[in-house]
Amino acid sequence: MPKKTLKLATFNVNGINTRLQNLLRWLEVEQPDVVALQELKATDTAFPRAEIEAAGYGAIWQGQQSWNGVALLGRDTEPVESRRGLPWDPADTQSRYLEAAIHGVVVASLYLPNGNPQPGPKFDYKLGWMQRLNRHSRSLVELPHPVVLMGDFNVIPTDDDVYDPKSWKKDALIQPETRKAFSELLQQGWTDALRDVFGQERVYTFWDYFRHHAERDRGLRIDHLLLNRKLAGGLKEAGVDRWVRLEPHASDHAPTWVKVTI
DNA sequence: ATGGCTGGCGACGCCAGA
C-alpha cells in the first residue's frame, strides 16, 4: 500500500467557544489531518459542531461544564471512537481522555490533571490519573497499528523544558513524582516526538499570560506527542505553531505537531 | 518571596489554570 504523510496536532484551546476564531484560523492556515483538542470548557451541547464541520473536519468530543473537555477532529473524515475516559475509576467524572481511529492512526486526546497545589488531593488525583494512563497505554504501545498519545500532559519532563526551573520548583508539573510517572510511560516504548526531533534545542508549547512571556519566549514544554514503535519509524518532522500563541486573544498554549508517514 | 494575567460563573469577588 502506498505511504501517505499525515500532520497530527494537539492544541489546548483554553475554551473552544471563547477562542473559536483562533482555532478556525489555525485549521485553515495549517490544515492538520488529525487534531486533538483539550480544555474545551464547554458542555456537549455547546460544542461548535457546525463551524468545525464547515471547516472540513469530522469531530467527536467529551464536554463538561466550565472545565476540562477533550475532542478529536479528522480532516474530511469522521473519527471512529474506541474509548471515552480511562478505565478503572468509574467515580472519575472529569472529561480528560478520548480515543479514536482517524486516517488509519489510533489517536488519544488527553488532558492530564494540573495537580496544583501540591501536596494535596489535587496532586494525588494527578498521580492516580497518571498511573491509570500508564496502565492503559501498555495495551497500546505494542499494537501493530500506528498509535499516538497527544495532549496537554501538564508535565515538564526535564529542566531543559522550562525557561527557569527555579521559579517552577514547587509546581506540580515539575515534581519528581510527576517526572517519574512520565518517564515510566516513555520507558514502555513511546517516543517523545518533539524531543526526538529537536535534540538539545529548546522548544516550548505553553507561555503563561504574565510579563509578556510569550513575546519573550519564556515558556514550558508540556504538550507532548508520544508515538508507539509502529508510528515512530515514520516520524519526519515536528514543530510548534508559535504564531498562534502570538495572535490577539490567544490560548496560553500553541498547537504542537508531527508529520509522519504511515 | 510574591504576584503578575485570563476566563467562567453568576453577580463583584472567587476559583482554576500552569
Side-chain angles (χ1 to χ4, degrees):
Chain A
M1 201 156 63
K3 289 199 180 257
K4 58 182 175 180
T5 300
L6 295 172
K7 179 172 180 174
L8 318 175
T10 180
F11 184 21
N12 178 323
V13 285
N14 190 14
I16 193 167
N17 287 307
T18 309
R19 266 172 256 284
L20 186 56
Q21 295 316 311
N22 301 67
L23 172 62
L24 294 174
R25 176 158 156 70
W26 170 66
L27 290 175
E28 185 182 352
V29 171
E30 303 292 347
Q31 311 217 337
D33 299 289
V34 175
V35 179
L37 299 175
Q38 304 86 35
E39 273 209 270
L40 304 181
K41 293 185 174 177
T43 58
D44 281 339
T45 51
F47 186 88
R49 169 209 282 267
E51 291 87 343
I52 298 291
E53 280 182 2
Y57 289 85
I60 59 171
W61 57 92
Q62 183 192 32
Q64 188 178 329
Q65 177 78 255
S66 306
W67 311 113
N68 309 323
V70 286
L72 285 166
L73 315 185
R75 184 168 179 78
D76 298 322
T77 192
E78 291 295 330
V80 179
E81 184 171 323
S82 53
R83 170 161 284 284
R84 179 168 291 244
L86 286 174
W88 307 299
D89 187 0
D92 184 0
T93 56
Q94 300 191 24
S95 295
R96 296 181 175 277
Y97 188 92
L98 193 58
E99 186 186 293
I102 310 173
H103 288 301
V105 181
V106 175
V107 185
S109 177
L110 65 94
Y111 178 43
L112 209 146
N114 171 301
N116 281 305
Q118 73 78 32
K122 291 192 173 184
F123 191 59
D124 295 341
Y125 173 65
K126 179 187 189 117
L127 295 179
W129 203 95
M130 293 183 86
Q131 289 308 314
R132 286 193 288 140
L133 174 66
N134 289 7
R135 214 171 132 191
H136 177 57
S137 62
R138 273 198 287 272
S139 69
L140 299 173
V141 70
E142 300 293 356
L143 285 181
H145 322 292
V147 183
V148 58
L149 307 178
M150 55 181 171
D152 177 358
F153 279 71
N154 273 315
V155 176
I156 301 169
T158 75
D159 284 355
D160 294 330
D161 299 306
V162 49
Y163 66 92
D164 178 13
K166 285 196 298 296
S167 66
W168 290 80
K169 196 76 182 166
K170 294 180 176 175
D171 198 279
L173 280 61
I174 205 172
Q175 293 310 304
E177 301 95 319
T178 305
R179 285 180 165 177
K180 180 167 182 286
F182 185 73
S183 163
E184 287 168 354
L185 172 58
L186 292 181
Q187 282 164 19
Q188 293 175 3
W190 298 96
T191 294
D192 177 351
L194 267 283
R195 191 44 76 209
D196 196 68
V197 168
F198 280 76
Q200 296 295 310
E201 189 184 342
R202 292 261 169 171
V203 55
Y204 302 132
T205 68
F206 164 91
W207 303 259
D208 66 32
Y209 289 119
F210 306 124
R211 302 175 181 228
H212 301 102
H213 277 167
E215 292 81 354
R216 296 161 61 203
D217 199 20
R218 292 169 69 80
L220 315 177
R221 189 175 74 93
I222 55 175
D223 299 272
H224 305 304
L225 297 99
L226 307 189
L227 317 184
N228 78 340
R229 296 184 207 282
K230 177 71 177 178
L231 187 56
L235 175 59
K236 300 301 176 196
E237 291 179 55
V240 179
D241 292 330
R242 186 166 167 237
W243 68 267
V244 176
R245 178 64 182 83
L246 300 172
E247 292 273 285
H249 198 57
S251 167
D252 39 8
H253 296 251
T256 306
W257 52 266
V258 294
K259 287 183 183 169
V260 292
T261 56
I262 63 166

